[in-house]
Amino acid sequence: MMKAVVALMKKDLKLLFKDKMAVFFTFIFPLLFAFFFGSIFSSSGGSQGLKIAVSDRDQTEKSQAFIGQLKEASEFRVTETDEANAKKLVRTGKQVAFIILPEGFGENYGGIFSGQPPEILVGIDPARKAEAGYLEGSLMKLGIKRFELAFSDANEMIKQLDFSIEDIQQSDDMPAEWKSLLGDYLPKFKELTELEIAKQPEGSDSSGLSFGSDGDNPMMPLKITKEEITVQKTGPRNSFSITIPQGVIWAIMGCVIGFAISLVREKTLGTLDRLAIAPISRTQILAGKALGCFAAQAMVVTLLFTIAYFMLGVRFDLIKLVLAVLAAGICFVGFMMFFASITKTEQSVAGMTNAFLIIMGMIGGAMIPLFAMPGWMQSISHISPVKWAILAFEGAIWRDFTYIEMMTPLTILTAIGVVTFFIGTRMLKLKQS
Amino acid sequence: MIEVRGISKRYGNLQAVDNLSITIEKGHIFGLLGPNGAGKSTTISMMCGLINPDQGQVLLNGNAPGIKETKHKIGLIPQSIALYEELTALDNLSFFADLYNLPASQKAERMEWSLAFVGLQDRAKDAVQDFSGGMKRRLNLAASLLHDPEFIFMDEPTAGVDPQSRNKLFESVFELKALGKTIIYTTHYMEEAEKLCDRVGVVDKGQLLALGTVDELIEQYGGESRVHIKSEQGEESFMTANPVNDLMTRLKGLTTVENLSLQRPNLETVFLNLTGKQLRD
Ligand SMILES: Nc1ncnc2c1ncn2[C@@H]1O[C@H](COP(=O)(O)OP(=O)(O)O)[C@@H](O)[C@H]1O
Ligand SMILES: [Mg+2]
């Protein structure tokens, strides 16, 4: 007689959606929670710019100016620090990449017609291909600015030409032909530029000389040397990876409270008598309730993770996630039954379930993320089922748990669920007969 | 037929029902009359298999009430409004019908019949929470009739109901009786028991104190009638066990009677005589 169980489940879901408070606490609040705290703690959200650590070995005016440009650019969020620390920040996942400006950067940055493009050392996790590409592109864009800077200001250009002529004359390793060619060409170019300046009307801005960069310019804006850095997995890459499981916990707790109240309400209203009098077994009645609670949980978890995937860039292992949802579902359905069985009125079930779950939530990482907890608190958190649920979800998201590692939280959750469900259903039975 | 054989139920120190036995014929309306806390609901719950008696036995057509076959024959109208207030009347009925596994065509037909039976066709799509107390009571009844039960248990169905809805409900009870249903009706209103029931059991403190038709009970436990006469000889009142004879004798000596009243004992006096207290406190 699945029909009765399905009818029971459908009825409960209908009632849930008619209850504005329940909808708020199971669907809206968890989403707001995940969004709100996720954006506050957002550690490397793509929209806010890549978090990069920058270290300046060169310590010249030009290198400092370049760092200034990095800081101004909307593509980056820059932390300037020493080299060792910059590397550490990337290795520990706190920053996406590090950039080191080696000696000679400033010299090459200024010298446009001579020497090599300025070199930049970039360290990034090879796994982060998208960010690496974005980083390189953005750096090149900035690098091009050095040409613009030089050529957009005629006076600056004349200065540049003087530097270059001098450079060329002093240079030992340049082939003689190149030396004479450039020695002819550059002073002429300088004359031409001076003429152009003279032509400009009085008081007008001397900028605006455009440089024909038809693409055959062999000079690269920057020379980017990449170093691969393996990131230790000590924290999530995306703060929503933390807040989404937390939001899911709040949602599940909302479901538990909602269904525990609805079960007690059936007792007080007398609808449970109608169910008990019908030709269905007590097991079917309880199964209907449990399934309803579970279905509501599954719906809200699906909703949250869909939003997390498509809008917040949270990635997860689907099979492990489904396992986590199942185990957490069993656990919290058990609690729902337990609380509904030990209380007599709607107020007491609401108060008791609320108090218990909020405390379990607080010590279990639904507010302060587990990894951010002080050590003593992490040990206390073991007693909270919320901790194991969050661990299971995080295992499927960023902790990269193996199936073996997943077994611990999954087993604990299932065991808690089975025990509380058994006690709950037993006590409900005793009450009625 | 319903046979109740010496059922008892204890809650802690409280003997809610004490060795109660009744037999109810098919097609009868049987009333359980008693004050609040007498054990009426507990008795009904044991009769329809909702709770198990500590001792004794209930048989519906010879079967225990808990078995599936019997469950299809039981309709319970609980004392409380056992409905989902947030859902519409139709949603409620549809849900309860699903519990009885009615085939789709039969389900639609029975839902329509039940709504019409209690006169709520026009409000089918409204949420129960918008109903008046009387309408909720009527829907509470309709929800128990979907599977066309043979035994109908009504636990104080008129509680908090306006006089109009009350009369409608009485009509419904008679209609159900006309359909051949066996009805068990609990109340603490003696008027309802007198008006509706073929037989009445008077209960107090878990015990069945008397059992019979209303007339039998009054005759047996009602005591004397009060006669009041106002005539040329003045006003007089007297109590008598045999009002008709006594009145005939008294009237023979009078030429003009201005006013005469005969107050026969009722179930209220039956209860008073049985327990020494009023039915309603
Ligand atoms: N589940 C229960 N637990 C404890 N006492 C109960 C329970 N149900 C009923 N009682 C007590 O049993 C007595 C009879 O109750 P009940 O059958 O509801 O009376 P009635 O329906 O005639 O008003 C009352 O004193 C009531 O308080
Ligand atoms: Mg009662």
Side-chain angles (χ1 to χ4, degrees):
Chain A
M1 275 250 333
M2 266 318 277
K3 192 170 165 185
V5 176
V6 171
L8 279 157
M9 183 183 88
K10 266 168 53 185
K11 176 265 297 172
D12 273 331
L13 291 177
K14 242 184 213 171
L15 283 171
L16 177 74
F17 285 109
K18 295 258 182 204
D19 183 349
K20 291 193 184 69
M21 279 291 270
V23 169
F24 177 79
F25 279 109
T26 42
F27 289 90
I28 314 292
F29 175 75
L31 258 181
L32 291 178
F33 182 93
F35 266 122
F36 181 69
F37 287 102
S39 347
I40 285 184
F41 301 124
S42 189
S43 57
S44 68
S47 55
Q48 267 110 359
L50 285 180
K51 286 186 87 177
I52 54 173
V54 177
S55 175
D56 187 5
R57 257 190 229 163
D58 192 39
Q59 294 292 345
T60 59
E61 201 183 307
K62 295 275 188 212
S63 68
Q64 279 298 306
F66 185 74
I67 290 173
Q69 282 181 48
L70 283 175
K71 283 180 176 165
E72 268 169 39
S74 62
E75 290 94 333
F76 304 112
R77 284 202 289 150
V78 175
T79 308
E80 201 177 347
T81 180
D82 64 70
E83 210 173 309
N85 191 40
K87 287 189 178 178
K88 194 180 134 214
L89 286 174
V90 174
R91 225 182 297 113
T92 53
K94 294 205 172 66
Q95 304 275 330
V96 177
F98 68 75
I99 287 176
I100 291 166
L101 306 181
E103 289 92 351
F105 176 87
E107 201 181 320
N108 288 332
Y109 194 84
I112 292 178
F113 299 107
S114 66
Q116 308 128 326
E119 188 186 12
I120 286 186
L121 301 176
V122 170
I124 190 164
D125 180 357
R128 317 192 81 172
K129 292 197 178 66
E131 280 106 329
Y134 180 73
L135 178 64
E136 211 169 313
S138 304
L139 284 174
M140 283 300 186
K141 208 171 96 191
L142 277 186
I144 285 169
K145 283 220 173 98
R146 79 187 172 103
F147 301 119
E148 285 173 13
L149 211 68
F151 293 116
S152 60
D153 185 325
N155 290 319
E156 171 74 13
M157 188 143 120
I158 291 165
K159 214 159 83 196
Q160 277 295 324
L161 289 168
D162 279 337
F163 279 139
S164 300
I165 293 164
E166 205 177 314
D167 265 359
I168 288 161
Q169 271 149 15
Q170 280 169 11
S171 148
D172 309 324
D173 54 350
M174 188 177 270
E177 313 88 83
W178 274 95
K179 224 178 200 173
S180 77
L181 187 71
L182 288 172
D184 268 0
Y185 171 72
L186 287 178
K188 287 210 175 86
F189 190 68
K190 185 182 160 192
E191 263 172 56
L192 199 72
T193 309
E194 279 163 344
L195 260 171
E196 283 293 321
I197 292 172
K199 262 198 220 158
Q200 302 264 327
E202 280 295 307
S204 95
D205 192 315
S206 63
S207 66
L209 258 178
S210 60
F211 180 76
S213 56
D214 288 338
D216 53 297
N217 186 350
M219 294 176 289
M220 287 289 284
L222 293 170
K223 180 179 174 218
I224 295 176
T225 308
K226 268 192 277 187
E227 184 180 332
E228 292 191 345
I229 294 279
T230 307
V231 176
Q232 300 162 353
K233 300 235 156 51
T234 53
R237 284 169 188 167
N238 178 332
S239 62
F240 292 111
S241 303
I242 291 290
T243 58
I244 285 290
Q246 288 179 320
V248 165
I249 290 294
W250 289 111
I252 289 178
M253 297 199 301
C255 288
V256 170
I257 295 171
F259 272 82
I261 291 175
S262 90
L263 186 43
V264 173
R265 187 176 289 160
E266 302 240 28
K267 279 198 275 184
T268 56
L269 279 182
T271 46
L272 196 62
D273 287 350
R274 276 202 195 284
L275 305 185
I277 208 90
I280 53 173
S281 67
R282 188 155 284 274
T283 313
Q284 282 174 309
I285 297 173
L286 296 173
K289 207 34 107 174
L291 265 182
C293 185
F294 185 78
Q297 288 183 24
M299 274 160 73
V300 64
V301 171
T302 307
L303 174 78
L304 277 163
F305 274 99
T306 307
I307 290 172
Y309 186 89
F310 288 107
M311 290 174 62
L312 307 174
V314 174
R315 291 293 173 268
F316 44 81
D317 180 318
L318 189 59
I319 295 172
K320 286 174 191 159
L321 184 68
V322 169
L323 289 174
V325 172
L326 280 172
I330 291 170
C331 175
F332 286 98
V333 166
F335 273 111
M336 185 273 287
M337 284 292 176
F338 179 75
F339 282 111
S341 73
I342 59 170
T343 44
K344 277 200 174 125
T345 66
E346 289 159 46
Q347 285 91 334
S348 63
V349 72
M352 207 163 148
T353 316
N354 254 323
F356 176 81
L357 289 179
I358 285 177
I359 290 171
M360 286 302 139
M362 284 198 301
I363 63 175
M367 285 178 188
I368 306 168
L370 288 172
F371 76 95
M373 281 181 181
W376 61 270
M377 211 172 156
Q378 285 193 5
S379 356
I380 293 180
S381 74
H382 288 332
I383 65 160
S384 170
V386 168
K387 177 232 171 85
W388 300 106
I390 288 187
L391 204 62
F393 284 119
E394 289 185 345
I397 305 174
W398 57 269
R399 285 184 191 267
D400 292 339
F401 274 7
T402 62
Y403 283 98
I404 305 285
E405 286 172 307
M406 286 294 284
M407 283 312 286
T408 311
L410 294 182
T411 310
I412 291 172
L413 288 170
T414 311
I416 295 174
V418 168
V419 170
T420 49
F421 189 88
F422 182 74
I423 297 175
T425 51
R426 274 298 298 268
M427 300 213 342
L428 269 175
K429 267 181 188 162
L430 292 175
K431 277 268 160 55
Q432 285 289 313
S433 59
Chain B
M1 194 171 78
I2 303 177
E3 294 158 87
V4 178
R5 298 179 180 164
I7 53 169
S8 296
K9 185 73 193 177
R10 205 179 175 82
Y11 291 116
N13 284 329
L14 184 104
Q15 193 68 46
V17 175
D18 191 4
N19 193 24
L20 189 139
S21 300
I22 354 170
T23 303
I24 300 165
E25 296 300 325
K26 180 173 163 60
H28 271 199
I29 302 177
F30 181 85
L32 262 184
L33 177 69
N36 280 328
K40 303 182 296 294
S41 295
T42 308
T43 304
I44 271 202
S45 295
M46 288 189 283
M47 286 171 82
C48 61
L50 215 47
I51 56 177
N52 296 321
D54 300 335
Q55 278 125 38
Q57 188 185 25
V58 176
L59 293 174
L60 304 177
N61 290 347
N63 291 319
I67 67 167
K68 210 165 192 176
E69 193 191 322
T70 314
K71 279 183 154 192
H72 278 284
K73 294 183 178 157
I74 296 175
L76 170 69
I77 295 93
Q79 189 170 352
S80 56
I81 309 271
L83 298 166
Y84 302 102
E85 299 250 332
E86 299 83 358
L87 303 184
T88 64
L90 221 49
D91 279 346
N92 269 283
L93 294 184
S94 166
F95 168 66
F96 291 120
D98 282 341
L99 300 180
Y100 288 86
N101 204 19
L102 299 181
S105 62
Q106 200 185 334
K107 177 182 161 184
E109 188 192 310
R110 287 302 302 170
M111 281 168 65
E112 209 169 305
W113 181 89
S114 302
L115 272 174
F117 184 73
V118 297
L120 285 174
Q121 310 95 301
D122 300 344
R123 303 296 301 269
K125 295 206 166 96
D126 293 340
V128 176
Q129 59 199 359
D130 300 331
F131 283 13
S132 72
M135 288 162 68
K136 285 180 188 174
R137 282 280 161 201
R138 276 143 66 192
L139 188 63
N140 204 33
L141 170 61
S144 310
L145 302 177
L146 292 159
H147 56 294
D148 199 15
E150 178 183 339
F151 304 105
I152 299 171
F153 296 87
M154 305 176 93
D155 198 357
E156 306 210 20
T158 56
V161 162
D162 57 285
Q164 199 190 335
S165 284
R166 184 181 289 223
N167 286 332
K168 174 91 186 78
L169 219 133
F170 292 162
E171 278 173 39
S172 303
V173 175
F174 284 124
E175 280 175 55
L176 288 169
K177 179 182 164 147
L179 288 171
K181 310 295 182 193
T182 307
I183 297 160
I184 297 84
Y185 188 108
T186 82
T187 181
H188 60 268
Y189 296 110
M190 62 103 186
E191 303 91 333
E192 292 185 5
E194 279 180 7
K195 190 177 159 110
L196 295 172
C197 301
D198 297 310
R199 292 180 82 222
V200 174
V202 180
V203 286
D204 188 40
K205 294 181 182 154
Q207 289 179 318
L208 182 70
L209 302 177
L211 185 66
T213 64
V214 174
D215 288 340
E216 284 167 2
L217 290 174
I218 290 172
E219 189 168 328
Q220 204 171 346
Y221 305 102
E224 301 183 321
S225 300
R226 173 178 295 274
V227 178
H228 184 91
I229 304 169
K230 191 177 179 187
S231 65
E232 77 266 19
Q233 294 182 359
E235 279 190 64
E236 62 175 316
S237 278
F238 60 90
M239 302 295 292
T240 167
N242 204 342
V244 181
N245 277 352
D246 284 5
L247 204 59
M248 294 276 280
T249 321
R250 187 70 194 86
L251 288 176
K252 276 177 188 154
L254 298 173
T255 45
T256 49
V257 175
E258 283 172 46
N259 203 342
L260 182 139
S261 73
L262 168 64
Q263 202 183 333
R264 297 199 51 193
N266 56 22
L267 288 176
E268 187 74 48
T269 30
V270 168
F271 191 79
L272 187 70
N273 290 336
L274 282 168
T275 65
K277 63 182 184 188
Q278 301 282 333
L279 195 50
R280 265 169 288 172
D281 26 36

Short mmCIF file of all heavy atoms in Angstrom, two decimals, chain A residues 121-139:
data_model
loop_
_atom_site.label_atom_id
_atom_site.label_comp_id
_atom_site.label_asym_id
_atom_site.label_seq_id
_atom_site.Cartn_x
_atom_site.Cartn_y
_atom_site.Cartn_z
N LEU A 121 57.85 36.52 -12.38
CA LEU A 121 57.70 35.13 -11.94
C LEU A 121 56.31 34.96 -11.35
O LEU A 121 55.91 35.75 -10.48
CB LEU A 121 58.74 34.80 -10.88
CG LEU A 121 60.20 34.95 -11.28
CD1 LEU A 121 61.11 34.67 -10.08
CD2 LEU A 121 60.53 34.02 -12.45
N VAL A 122 55.63 33.98 -11.86
CA VAL A 122 54.27 33.74 -11.37
C VAL A 122 54.18 32.34 -10.79
O VAL A 122 54.62 31.38 -11.42
CB VAL A 122 53.24 33.89 -12.51
CG1 VAL A 122 51.87 33.40 -12.05
CG2 VAL A 122 53.15 35.33 -12.97
N GLY A 123 53.64 32.21 -9.59
CA GLY A 123 53.45 30.88 -9.00
C GLY A 123 51.97 30.62 -8.80
O GLY A 123 51.25 31.42 -8.21
N ILE A 124 51.51 29.50 -9.35
CA ILE A 124 50.08 29.18 -9.21
C ILE A 124 49.90 27.66 -9.24
O ILE A 124 50.70 26.94 -9.83
CB ILE A 124 49.26 29.87 -10.34
CG1 ILE A 124 47.75 29.74 -10.08
CG2 ILE A 124 49.62 29.29 -11.71
CD1 ILE A 124 46.91 30.70 -10.91
N ASP A 125 48.86 27.20 -8.59
CA ASP A 125 48.53 25.78 -8.57
C ASP A 125 48.16 25.34 -9.98
O ASP A 125 47.30 25.93 -10.61
CB ASP A 125 47.32 25.60 -7.62
CG ASP A 125 46.90 24.14 -7.51
OD1 ASP A 125 47.49 23.28 -8.22
OD2 ASP A 125 45.99 23.87 -6.73
N PRO A 126 48.85 24.30 -10.51
CA PRO A 126 48.57 23.89 -11.89
C PRO A 126 47.12 23.47 -12.09
O PRO A 126 46.60 23.51 -13.20
CB PRO A 126 49.53 22.71 -12.12
CG PRO A 126 49.94 22.28 -10.76
CD PRO A 126 49.88 23.50 -9.88
N ALA A 127 46.44 23.12 -11.01
CA ALA A 127 45.06 22.70 -11.15
C ALA A 127 44.15 23.87 -11.49
O ALA A 127 43.07 23.69 -12.04
CB ALA A 127 44.59 22.04 -9.85
N ARG A 128 44.63 25.05 -11.18
CA ARG A 128 43.75 26.21 -11.38
C ARG A 128 44.01 26.81 -12.75
O ARG A 128 44.53 27.92 -12.88
CB ARG A 128 43.99 27.24 -10.28
CG ARG A 128 44.11 26.61 -8.92
CD ARG A 128 44.06 27.64 -7.84
NE ARG A 128 42.67 28.00 -7.57
CZ ARG A 128 42.31 28.78 -6.55
NH1 ARG A 128 43.21 29.28 -5.75
NH2 ARG A 128 41.05 29.05 -6.34
N LYS A 129 43.60 26.08 -13.77
CA LYS A 129 43.91 26.48 -15.14
C LYS A 129 43.19 27.76 -15.53
O LYS A 129 43.76 28.63 -16.17
CB LYS A 129 43.53 25.35 -16.10
CG LYS A 129 44.43 24.12 -15.92
CD LYS A 129 44.32 23.21 -17.13
CE LYS A 129 45.24 22.01 -16.97
NZ LYS A 129 44.85 21.12 -15.86
N ALA A 130 41.94 27.84 -15.14
CA ALA A 130 41.15 29.00 -15.53
C ALA A 130 41.74 30.27 -14.94
O ALA A 130 41.95 31.26 -15.63
CB ALA A 130 39.71 28.83 -15.07
N GLU A 131 42.07 30.18 -13.64
CA GLU A 131 42.62 31.36 -12.98
C GLU A 131 43.99 31.72 -13.56
O GLU A 131 44.31 32.89 -13.71
CB GLU A 131 42.77 31.12 -11.46
CG GLU A 131 41.48 31.28 -10.70
CD GLU A 131 40.91 29.96 -10.27
OE1 GLU A 131 41.13 28.97 -11.01
OE2 GLU A 131 40.25 29.91 -9.23
N ALA A 132 44.78 30.68 -13.93
CA ALA A 132 46.11 30.93 -14.48
C ALA A 132 45.99 31.69 -15.79
O ALA A 132 46.72 32.67 -16.02
CB ALA A 132 46.85 29.61 -14.69
N GLY A 133 45.06 31.28 -16.63
CA GLY A 133 44.86 31.94 -17.92
C GLY A 133 44.43 33.38 -17.72
O GLY A 133 44.94 34.32 -18.36
N TYR A 134 43.51 33.54 -16.80
CA TYR A 134 42.98 34.87 -16.50
C TYR A 134 44.09 35.78 -15.98
O TYR A 134 44.22 36.93 -16.37
CB TYR A 134 41.87 34.70 -15.46
CG TYR A 134 41.19 35.96 -15.03
CD1 TYR A 134 40.30 36.62 -15.88
CD2 TYR A 134 41.41 36.49 -13.76
CE1 TYR A 134 39.65 37.77 -15.47
CE2 TYR A 134 40.76 37.64 -13.34
CZ TYR A 134 39.89 38.29 -14.20
OH TYR A 134 39.25 39.41 -13.78
N LEU A 135 44.90 35.19 -15.12
CA LEU A 135 46.00 35.94 -14.52
C LEU A 135 46.99 36.40 -15.59
O LEU A 135 47.39 37.57 -15.65
CB LEU A 135 46.71 35.07 -13.48
CG LEU A 135 47.92 35.65 -12.77
CD1 LEU A 135 47.54 36.84 -11.93
CD2 LEU A 135 48.59 34.60 -11.89
N GLU A 136 47.36 35.48 -16.48
CA GLU A 136 48.34 35.79 -17.51
C GLU A 136 47.81 36.88 -18.45
O GLU A 136 48.52 37.85 -18.75
CB GLU A 136 48.61 34.51 -18.32
CG GLU A 136 50.01 34.45 -18.86
CD GLU A 136 50.32 33.07 -19.41
OE1 GLU A 136 50.02 32.06 -18.70
OE2 GLU A 136 50.81 33.00 -20.54
N GLY A 137 46.57 36.71 -18.83
CA GLY A 137 45.95 37.70 -19.72
C GLY A 137 45.93 39.08 -19.08
O GLY A 137 46.28 40.08 -19.71
N SER A 138 45.54 39.10 -17.81
CA SER A 138 45.43 40.39 -17.12
C SER A 138 46.80 41.04 -16.96
O SER A 138 46.93 42.26 -17.08
CB SER A 138 44.79 40.20 -15.75
OG SER A 138 43.55 39.56 -15.89
N LEU A 139 47.82 40.21 -16.72
CA LEU A 139 49.18 40.75 -16.56
C LEU A 139 49.67 41.34 -17.87
O LEU A 139 50.27 42.42 -17.91
CB LEU A 139 50.14 39.67 -16.07
CG LEU A 139 50.04 39.30 -14.59
CD1 LEU A 139 50.94 38.11 -14.28
CD2 LEU A 139 50.41 40.48 -13.70
#
